[in-house]
Amino acid sequence: MKTLTGIFLDTGNLQEIRTYHALGVIRGVTTNPTILVKDGVLGGWEGIEERCKQIARMVEPLPVSVEVTTNDSDEMREQARRFHGWAANINVKIPIHGPEGETDNLRLIHELETQEDIRINVTAMMSAQQGLLAAMAGATYVSLFAGRVNNMGYDARQELRRLRQLLDACGSPARIIAASTREALNIIEWFEAGADIVTVVPQFIETMLVHPYSKETVRQFLEDGRTLQREGAPDVTMTGAH
Ligand code: G3P
């Protein structure tokens, strides 16, 4: 069953999160090590903890994804517990497998979700079949890097549609995240293809929102409003009349 949640903001920048959260248009935040480096997180683990806690507090109770920084299973488990302890709304991002295709991650995802009650966002996936396995293992979120799929010359919408059908067919509660947006159009088209959530970089929210013809229309209303105040009927608010 399709259960659209909405947009997760893909950033670690506090000002951007503050701005778009205040507009009421986001339903969560996602980060990864690349984003946190780009957004100027310094100071090693202290810096990471501070920024992630700030984000979590700012958007609470909306979910915030924080990604593990290691490929070692024991370290991943330790980091997952640590992130989980920082705030109740932090969930842990774990790649579907290691850089050489090591399959241990799925076991860990399964254990963390089922034995430790830690919400996992399985990341770096490129296909419906990976998403299906992550959902079967018990992941709360399954992230398909749709923009990267398109980069390789495939149409990510086909994978999203297949994953949607598969998860619905087996009654999986996993939420499908379509990630790595490349253009504003991706957002609507990936929702239409069956994503529950699309991760969006801040500038695309502005692209979605601001339309040149709306600007022109509003300019005209404001101009005519000024004319109306100057030359129109007496201002009723001045007399207290309703
Ligand atoms: O949410 C995942 C995203 O951060 C990856 O995006 O643009 O690096 O493919 P990108």
Side-chain angles (χ1 to χ4, degrees):
M1 189 190 44
K2 214 168 160 172
T3 50
L4 197 147
T5 300
I7 289 169
F8 281 10
L9 201 64
D10 208 17
T11 183
N13 179 301
L14 294 175
Q15 188 49 48
E16 289 174 344
I17 296 167
R18 190 175 293 114
T19 300
Y20 291 102
H21 184 237
L23 296 186
V25 296
I26 64 168
R27 295 293 176 270
V29 175
T30 50
T31 67
N32 60 41
T34 309
I35 286 175
L36 295 182
V37 168
K38 175 179 76 60
D39 288 328
V41 174
L42 299 168
W45 275 112
E46 265 180 45
I48 299 170
E49 178 173 351
E50 191 189 341
R51 180 69 61 93
C52 293
K53 281 181 170 174
Q54 283 172 315
I55 297 171
R57 259 198 311 275
M58 195 176 280
V59 302
E60 197 262 322
L62 300 181
V64 177
S65 289
V66 180
E67 185 159 343
V68 295
T69 61
T70 173
N71 191 45
D72 177 90
S73 260
D74 292 335
E75 286 175 13
M76 263 192 267
R77 184 190 305 278
E78 189 276 322
Q79 288 188 6
R81 289 174 178 159
R82 195 186 321 175
F83 300 165
H84 177 65
W86 287 346
N89 55 332
I90 287 181
N91 54 63
V92 181
K93 249 178 164 178
I94 297 182
I96 181 70
H97 57 62
E100 305 304 327
E102 307 91 320
T103 55
D104 275 2
N105 291 16
L106 210 54
R107 178 179 51 79
L108 183 65
I109 289 158
H110 179 62
E111 288 174 6
L112 290 168
E113 280 275 4
T114 58
Q115 295 167 20
E116 305 204 24
D117 203 28
I118 295 178
R119 304 280 76 82
I120 305 298
N121 175 351
V122 181
T123 190
M125 293 193 288
M126 307 292 159
S127 69
Q129 57 191 356
Q130 288 179 311
L132 177 64
L133 289 176
M136 294 293 94
T140 298
Y141 301 100
V142 293
S143 287
L144 212 79
F145 274 25
R148 295 192 187 215
V149 173
N150 285 355
N151 283 352
M152 295 301 292
Y154 301 94
D155 186 345
R157 291 172 300 178
Q158 285 180 12
E159 293 305 304
L160 287 167
R161 277 189 211 107
R162 294 177 99 177
L163 184 56
R164 175 81 277 150
Q165 281 168 9
L166 288 164
L167 297 197
D168 289 351
C170 62
S172 167
R175 325 303 311 276
I176 300 175
I177 298 182
S180 71
T181 38
R182 294 288 181 261
E183 50 190 4
L185 174 64
N186 293 153
I187 299 154
I188 300 290
E189 69 180 10
W190 292 345
F191 278 133
E192 286 171 348
D196 297 299
I197 293 149
V198 177
T199 67
V200 178
V201 288
Q203 73 260 29
F204 287 145
I205 295 190
E206 195 155 332
T207 309
M208 289 171 83
L209 182 63
V210 177
H211 193 290
Y213 199 19
S214 299
K215 281 162 81 169
E216 187 187 322
T217 304
V218 173
R219 264 190 228 116
Q220 185 189 342
F221 285 157
L222 289 172
E223 203 177 297
D224 290 342
R226 282 192 290 272
T227 306
L228 199 60
Q229 283 178 46
R230 267 198 320 271
E231 299 164 11
D235 187 347
V236 288
T237 59
M238 300 297 285
T239 63
H242 295 284

